[in-house]
Amino acid sequence: MGLNLNDKKAVVAEVSAKVATAQTVVVAEYRGIQVAHLTQLRAKARTQGVYLRVLKNTLARRAVEGTQFANLADSMTGPLIYSISDDAVAAAKVIADFAKTNDKLVITAGNYAGKQLDKAAVVALASIPSRDVLIAQLLGVMLAPVSGFARGLAALAAKKSEGEAPVAEVAAEEAPAAA
């Protein structure tokens, strides 16, 4: 059963709203994938914050029209699933990870910040660590000098306290002998 005009307008408006805030769009052909596997893909996409949807290509073309993703319109042929994310890497990572385990999902194209990506570029984008991992690595690099300095001070304090203990014991022993 097809969509009526109002339903089509609603779908285009919904996808346009997602595309307006997106950094990455990945398009993949899903021909021959079982429904259970698509359900797993959707669940994983949901946990990663990725908008994943099967759309009519004409509706998808209208949704990306006039955006930085307009050059994807040439790649929109066949049964496609669209992966859209605000995170630069998440959409590519979800699709590429699923494609590793399911050879029927074929990455056809992608777009990152207005730049057209082929399959190899989408896989390369997916191999980049996520934003959270990169932030954690950056904080680790920034904290390394501070934590090294703190460990040095702690070692110096421990060494100094070891050296003071015998002096205190000697002074305590000499005091009763003098009396």
Side-chain angles (χ1 to χ4, degrees):
M1 182 172 155
L3 300 173
N4 65 29
L5 184 60
N6 290 333
D7 292 340
K8 290 178 183 178
K9 287 181 181 179
V11 168
V12 170
E14 177 186 347
V15 175
S16 294
K18 293 291 184 182
V19 167
T21 61
Q23 287 189 14
T24 307
V25 175
V26 177
V27 180
E29 189 173 320
Y30 67 95
R31 184 176 292 150
I33 297 178
Q34 296 176 353
V35 174
H37 294 144
L38 276 178
T39 304
Q40 291 172 350
L41 176 61
R42 285 188 173 111
K44 180 167 179 156
R46 214 173 298 120
T47 60
Q48 300 294 322
V50 174
Y51 180 78
L52 190 72
R53 183 142 185 199
V54 174
L55 295 169
K56 287 185 157 272
N57 294 328
T58 54
L59 298 179
R61 282 188 200 100
R62 289 192 179 157
V64 299
E65 201 172 82
T67 67
Q68 62 183 350
F69 304 109
N71 57 3
L72 270 178
D74 298 337
S75 304
M76 295 179 182
T77 56
L80 299 175
I81 191 162
Y82 296 86
S83 177
I84 304 168
S85 71
D86 297 339
D87 183 2
V89 178
K93 190 175 286 293
V94 166
I95 294 293
D97 287 349
F98 188 78
K100 287 178 189 173
T101 59
N102 194 326
D103 61 344
K104 293 185 180 182
L105 184 74
V106 179
I107 299 169
T108 56
N111 190 310
Y112 168 68
K115 295 181 182 176
Q116 185 78 15
L117 305 174
D118 61 350
K119 179 181 179 176
V122 170
V123 172
L125 181 65
S127 67
I128 296 172
S130 70
R131 182 177 186 269
D132 295 336
V133 171
L134 289 174
I135 289 173
Q137 289 175 346
L138 178 64
L139 286 176
V141 168
M142 290 171 62
L143 289 176
V146 175
S147 61
F149 181 70
R151 281 192 298 272
L153 284 178
L156 183 63
K159 184 177 180 182
K160 189 174 181 180
S161 66
E162 287 175 3
E164 290 178 2
V167 172
E169 291 173 5
V170 170
E173 291 174 4
E174 289 178 3

